């Protein structure tokens, strides 16, 4: 042996002695450990590598290693339990939303099961006039519905909303108003022309479907129509009844999911549309027959009176519009102005005809088209410049079913709230997954026995604070900041498009997955890099660095690539599926890395134990960040919902989404203004 080899042997001997100091109380195990370390050094030397043993020896000599004892193991267990407790608290806080999620996603069986668990009194009042199984479209027999509604009405004899709904249902089922109808409303609500119009509608349609009303009934209907129109007050109590029905529902979370669930649970209240349509169609037919008769009998003064009463009735009906169904039924009645204009022409009332047709033209500018004849189906199509791509799920359903002119500038808050809800749920799920990984790393850090644990304890001083800074800074914090920057402050966020617009995988979901995978693969790769740099003399740190960095690059590219999907001119569905499939690359790589650590033989477990001990802190930090994201994202989501004046449902909108209610109110106001300013000129 020459002098250089002797010096190397001496350095390696000192290195091995220092690396096994934690096993000095167990000579037999220390001898085994010495032999393994010597074998590793010899193996690396045989590959022709220059081993920096002196630098490693210097670092070991600077620090006294600390043996991992029961105290450090328990400390790790305490950290895991604290994080698990925080996660459980967040799951508990999110549990109401988790239960409401199927309802928010329009799952009717879940809505019915949830409704069936409400107190019987609240259930009975909410379902008044609807029957059992209202969310499953299995409404009970109409006679039983009416009997149940009558029983509830008798329990609340002064409730005008229940009385109005009962009267509507009685007319629909029997063709006439209920016994004692006039006496009841004159006692409870005198001077309200709505009741006269309802009775006029029942008489005009006849008591038997398909059979015209008698001359006596028609004359009485005409009298009641003019009487109701001239009453000076027209008030319906159905919107207020809807509001009180909604008040029977328990309080919902002030989040997007809670709002969506409330909107879907409120949807059965729209069944009032049947009653409104019946009355408005009956009144429209009555106006038509009256105008035809007046034209036939050359009663010019009578037509002028009818036109003015039509205008007053239109104003009264429009004032009660709260949602699309209300407006649709009321506009139907308004559209019969054309028959009044035709009758004016037949009577030679040139100025009156000109006035009525000018009024028709003004209304037509607001509604396109307004039907000229009564028919089944939708009668109103509103002009709408809203881009459905920019709507959240709730507003998009409204825009799809009811083409209302929504204000596009109000859509951002609701759309971002929906993304925050999805992100919050994903963060909670991700924190649980990270907590599972942390638990596995904690178990692996001490389960391999005294020899492997002793080597890991003795070699621990080789990993310096700089290595920890690299791992935490570049492996954990930097990816989170990168995700937040791209998804909040760049055009690659994809949050200017509604989540449900995409037919394939939503880009934001892909971004969330890649945002979780990136710190995972990057932390693993940096740890292996730092272990190789500090413990390469023992052949530790992995041998597939290029492959690992390649996976890191692929994962880093997924995040911006997903956000760029909607900027491409081609169909995004196959591209989004391809990018989503690319997420499998880092996922499989991490599973392979984890499997190689957990299932490696004890003889080759040293590198895995060092990796698990090193990754425990980054995993704990990542879990803590994800858990902290939950309350932060919820706070932002709730503030967005307050701003979401198009999406955020509240009782003041009587069960109608604000976007729809605001559009209905806006159009109603414009048409009402036209009608108020266009009184028929005096002859």
């Amino acid at each position: 042996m020459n002098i250089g080899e002797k010096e190397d042997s001496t350095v390696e001997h000192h290195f091995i002695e220092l690396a096994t100091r934690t096993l000095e109380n167990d000579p037999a195990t220390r001898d085994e450990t010495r032999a393994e370390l010597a074998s590793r050094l010899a193996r690396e030397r045989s590959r022709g590598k220059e081993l920096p043993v002196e630098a490693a020896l210097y670092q070991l000599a600077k620090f006294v290693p600390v043996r991992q004892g029961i105290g450090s193991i328990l400390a790790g267990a305490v950290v895991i339990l604290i994080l698990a407790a925080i996660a459980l608290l967040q799951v508990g806080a999110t549990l109401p939303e988790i239960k409401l999620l199927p309802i928010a996603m329009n799952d009717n069986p879940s809505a019915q099961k949830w409704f069936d668990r409400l107190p019987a009194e609240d259930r009975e009042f909410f379902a008044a006039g609807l029957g059992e199984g209202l969310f499953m479209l299995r409404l009970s027999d109409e006679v039983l519905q009416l009997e149940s509604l009558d029983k509830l009405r008798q329990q609340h004899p002064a409730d005008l909303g229940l009385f109005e709904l009962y009267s509507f249902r009685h007319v629909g089922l029997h063709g006439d108003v209920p016994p004692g109808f006039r006496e009841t409303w004159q006692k409870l609500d005198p001077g309200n022309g709505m009741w006269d119009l309802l009775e006029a509608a029942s008489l005009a349609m006849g008591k038997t479907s398909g059979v015209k009303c008698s001359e006596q009934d028609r004359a009485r209907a005409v009298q009641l129509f003019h009487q109701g129109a001239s009453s000076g007050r027209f008030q319906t109590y159905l919107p207020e009844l809807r509001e009180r029905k909604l008040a029977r529902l328990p309080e919902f979370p002030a989040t997007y999911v809670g709002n969506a669930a409330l909107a879907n649970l409120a949807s059965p209240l729209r069944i009032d549309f049947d009653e409104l349509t019946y009355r408005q169609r009956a009144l429209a037919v009555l106006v038509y027959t009256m105008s035809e008769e007046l034209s036939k009998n050359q009663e010019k003064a009578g037509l002028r009176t009818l036109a003015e009463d039509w205008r007053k009735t239109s104003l009264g009906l429009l004032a009660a519009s709260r949602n699309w169904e209300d407006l649709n039924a009321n506009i139907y009645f308004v559209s019969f102005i054309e028959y009044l204009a035709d009758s004016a022409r037949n009577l030679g009332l040139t100025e009156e005809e000109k006035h009525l047709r000018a009024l028709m033209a003004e209304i037509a500018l607001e509604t396109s088209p307004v039907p000229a004849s009564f028919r089944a189906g939708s009668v109103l199509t509103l002009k709408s410049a809203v881009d459905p791509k920019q709507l959240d799920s709730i507003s998009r359903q409204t825009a799809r079913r009811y083409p209302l002119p929504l204000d596009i500038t109000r859509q951002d808050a609701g759309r971002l709230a929906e993304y925050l809800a999805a992100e919050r749920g994903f963060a909670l799920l991700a924190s649980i997954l990270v907590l599972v990984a942390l638990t596995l790393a904690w178990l692996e850090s001490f389960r391999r026995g005294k020899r492997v644990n002793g080597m890991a304890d003795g070699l621990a001083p080789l990993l310096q604070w700089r290595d920890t800074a690299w791992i935490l800074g570049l492996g954990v914090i930097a990816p989170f900041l990168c995700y937040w920057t791209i998804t909040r402050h760049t055009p690659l966020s994809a949050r200017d498009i509604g989540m449900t617009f995409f037919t394939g995988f939503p880009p934001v979901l892909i971004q969330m997955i890649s945002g979780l995978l990136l710190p995972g693969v990057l932390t693993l790769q940096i740890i292996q890099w730092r272990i190789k740099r500090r413990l390469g003399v023992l052949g530790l740190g992995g041998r597939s660095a290029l492959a690992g960095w390649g996976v890191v690059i692929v994962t880093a590219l997924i995040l911006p690539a997903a956000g760029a999907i909607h900027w491409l001119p081609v169909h995004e569905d196959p591209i989004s599926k391809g990018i989503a499939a690319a997420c499998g690359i880092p996922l499989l790589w991490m599973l392979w890395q984890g499997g190689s650590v957990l299932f490696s033989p004890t003889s080759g477990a040293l590198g895995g134990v060092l990796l698990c001990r090193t990754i425990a802190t980054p995993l704990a930090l990542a879990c803590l960040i994800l858990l902290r994201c939950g309350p932060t994202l919820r706070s932002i989501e709730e503030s967005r919902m307050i701003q979401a004046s198009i999406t955020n449902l509240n009782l003041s909108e009587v069960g109608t989404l604000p976007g729809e209610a605001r559009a209905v109110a806006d159009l109603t106001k414009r048409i009402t203004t036209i009608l108020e300013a266009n009184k028929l000129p005096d002859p």
Side-chain angles (χ1 to χ4, degrees):
M1 180 183 295
N2 57 41
I3 297 177
E5 291 177 345
K6 186 175 181 180
E7 290 178 351
D8 289 342
S9 176
T10 303
V11 171
E12 291 178 6
H13 173 74
H14 286 303
F15 171 78
I16 292 172
E17 289 300 310
L18 290 177
T20 58
R21 280 178 292 178
T22 56
L23 295 173
E24 58 187 359
N25 293 329
D26 191 341
T29 304
R30 187 175 188 181
D31 288 341
E32 293 179 15
T33 305
R34 289 187 182 120
E36 181 174 343
L37 294 176
S39 174
R40 285 179 174 274
L41 290 171
R43 189 186 313 122
E44 292 301 307
R45 194 187 311 108
S46 66
R47 293 172 178 163
K49 295 182 179 180
E50 184 175 345
L51 304 181
V53 181
E54 290 186 5
L57 176 62
Y58 175 75
Q59 183 66 20
L60 285 179
K62 287 171 57 178
F63 298 95
V64 177
V66 178
R67 183 174 180 179
Q68 185 187 49
I70 189 66
S72 58
I73 294 175
L74 289 177
V78 169
V79 171
I80 292 173
L81 289 175
I82 291 174
L83 292 174
I86 297 173
L88 285 175
L89 288 174
Q90 291 199 14
V91 170
T94 312
L95 193 60
E97 292 178 82
I98 296 175
K99 293 179 178 179
L100 291 172
L101 185 59
I103 303 175
M105 298 177 69
N106 293 310
D107 183 53
N108 287 332
S110 297
Q112 187 63 51
K113 290 179 181 178
W114 182 91
F115 180 76
D116 290 340
R117 289 194 293 267
L118 292 177
E121 183 180 354
D122 293 337
R123 255 193 347 263
E124 182 181 0
F125 190 84
F126 186 90
L130 301 175
E132 297 297 326
L134 67 165
F135 294 101
M136 299 299 293
L137 299 180
R138 295 196 309 268
L139 302 183
S140 57
D141 180 81
E142 290 184 347
V143 175
L144 295 178
Q145 289 183 37
L146 189 64
E147 291 177 355
S148 175
L149 184 57
D150 186 29
K151 180 180 178 181
L152 186 62
R153 181 187 67 86
Q154 292 177 15
Q155 294 174 2
H156 305 276
D159 193 318
L160 287 169
L162 288 175
F163 177 66
E164 182 180 357
L165 182 59
Y166 172 71
S167 301
F168 265 126
R169 292 298 170 83
H170 194 281
V171 170
L173 185 61
H174 299 293
D176 59 0
V177 294
F181 171 76
R182 178 163 292 274
E183 293 80 2
T184 301
W185 73 258
Q186 285 182 341
K187 176 182 177 182
L188 297 177
D189 192 28
N192 188 352
M194 182 270 295
W195 306 108
D196 284 324
L197 293 178
L198 175 57
E199 188 174 357
S202 69
L203 292 170
M205 292 299 286
K207 295 185 178 181
T208 305
S209 177
V211 178
K212 293 183 178 180
C213 65
S214 65
E215 288 296 322
Q216 182 180 0
D217 285 345
R218 190 187 65 79
R220 176 61 175 162
V222 171
Q223 178 188 359
L224 289 171
F225 175 79
H226 289 299
Q227 185 174 308
S230 304
S231 65
R233 183 166 74 91
F234 181 93
Q235 183 177 358
T236 176
Y237 299 94
L238 290 181
E240 183 266 344
L241 178 62
R242 295 176 196 166
E243 182 176 341
R244 287 189 288 121
K245 284 187 174 186
L246 283 174
R248 294 299 183 106
L249 298 178
E251 185 176 357
F252 285 73
T255 60
Y256 190 88
V257 170
N259 184 75
L262 178 58
N264 289 327
L265 289 171
S267 61
L269 300 183
R270 291 179 177 271
I271 204 167
D272 295 341
F273 172 54
D274 296 337
E275 284 70 41
L276 292 172
T277 302
Y278 175 89
R279 181 181 62 187
Q280 270 68 316
R281 289 182 187 276
L283 293 175
V285 171
L286 181 60
V287 168
Y288 167 73
T289 56
M290 290 166 62
S291 65
E292 289 290 305
E293 184 174 340
L294 291 170
S295 175
K296 181 179 178 181
N297 296 333
Q298 294 294 304
E299 297 183 29
K300 296 182 179 181
L303 183 65
R304 290 192 186 96
T305 301
L306 176 60
E308 178 60 19
D309 286 346
W310 164 87
R311 188 183 69 88
K312 293 177 180 178
T313 303
S314 296
L315 288 170
L317 294 174
L318 287 169
S321 299
R322 295 295 186 275
N323 56 32
W324 162 257
E325 289 88 348
D326 295 347
L327 184 62
N328 198 15
N330 294 331
I331 286 289
Y332 180 83
F333 176 82
V334 175
S335 70
F336 272 63
I337 185 177
E338 182 170 351
Y339 295 107
L340 294 173
D342 291 343
S343 295
R345 180 193 61 203
N346 296 335
L347 289 171
L349 298 174
T350 306
E351 289 299 320
E352 286 80 356
E353 180 193 2
K354 182 179 178 180
H355 178 84
L356 290 171
R357 295 200 186 279
L359 184 56
M360 283 174 54
E362 285 193 63
I363 296 175
L365 290 176
E366 305 297 341
T367 61
S368 175
V370 177
S373 61
F374 95 98
R375 58 175 184 257
S378 178
V379 298
L380 175 64
T381 302
L382 303 179
K383 300 174 182 178
S384 178
V386 66
D387 184 358
K389 293 185 351 182
Q390 298 183 341
L391 300 176
D392 62 277
S393 299
I394 300 175
S395 297
R396 193 177 180 210
Q397 290 177 12
T398 302
R400 183 168 55 242
R401 291 184 294 180
Y402 317 109
L404 299 166
L406 301 176
D407 183 357
I408 191 63
T409 61
R410 300 174 180 266
Q411 297 306 311
D412 290 348
R415 186 180 65 249
L416 294 176
E418 183 176 19
Y419 280 124
L420 286 166
E423 209 167 39
R424 182 163 55 88
F426 185 85
L428 181 57
L429 178 61
S431 66
I432 295 174
L433 293 176
V434 172
L435 185 59
V436 171
L438 174 60
T439 303
L440 293 175
W442 171 73
L443 290 172
E444 182 65 19
S445 68
F446 63 84
R447 77 179 183 91
R448 293 293 186 164
K450 184 180 294 186
R451 182 177 59 82
V452 176
N453 291 338
M455 279 192 292
D457 294 338
L459 296 172
L462 293 178
L463 293 171
Q464 306 171 21
W465 67 267
R466 298 183 185 87
D467 303 307
T468 303
W470 274 105
I471 296 166
L472 296 180
L474 189 58
V476 179
I477 298 175
F480 277 112
L481 291 177
C482 179
Y483 171 82
W484 191 269
T485 301
I486 289 178
T487 58
R488 264 70 177 177
H489 304 292
T490 72
L492 299 176
S493 68
R495 280 167 166 73
D496 56 337
I497 302 295
M499 183 178 293
T500 58
F501 172 76
F502 298 95
T503 55
F505 286 86
V508 174
L509 178 58
I510 301 175
Q511 287 183 326
M512 287 189 284
I513 294 173
S514 64
L516 177 63
L517 293 174
L518 181 58
V521 297
L522 194 52
T523 299
L524 275 173
Q525 190 61 22
I526 292 175
I527 289 176
Q528 291 184 345
W529 166 45
R530 302 313 295 176
I531 289 178
K532 188 174 183 65
R533 183 176 179 84
R534 303 301 184 188
L535 296 163
V537 294
L538 298 174
L540 300 175
R543 304 185 184 279
S544 55
L546 290 178
W549 289 115
V551 172
V552 170
I553 293 172
V554 170
T555 311
L557 291 175
I558 291 175
L559 184 60
I565 290 175
H566 71 288
W567 294 102
L568 300 177
V570 296
H571 186 54
E572 76 280 349
D573 190 15
I575 298 176
S576 65
K577 290 181 179 179
I579 296 178
C583 292
I585 297 175
L587 179 61
L588 291 174
W589 185 80
M590 285 197 298
L591 290 175
W592 172 65
Q593 292 285 330
S596 64
V597 169
L598 295 176
F599 302 110
S600 63
T602 303
S603 59
L606 177 59
V609 171
L610 287 170
L611 186 147
C612 288
R613 292 187 179 188
T614 308
I615 205 173
T617 301
L619 286 176
L621 178 62
C623 187
L624 188 62
I625 291 175
L626 289 169
L627 290 173
R628 185 63 188 89
C629 283
T632 301
L633 291 174
R634 175 161 183 158
S635 176
I636 300 173
E637 179 187 347
E638 290 178 351
S639 66
R640 291 289 187 187
M641 287 304 300
I642 294 174
Q643 302 168 18
S645 55
I646 296 296
T647 304
N648 189 16
L649 184 67
N650 56 66
L651 294 182
S652 65
E653 307 292 351
V654 292
T656 305
L657 288 173
E660 180 185 350
R662 186 174 289 104
V664 167
D666 181 62
L667 183 59
T668 299
K669 182 179 179 181
R670 296 202 301 269
I671 299 176
T672 299
T673 302
I674 294 172
L675 290 171
E676 288 175 342
N678 284 274
K679 185 178 179 180
L680 198 68
D682 295 330

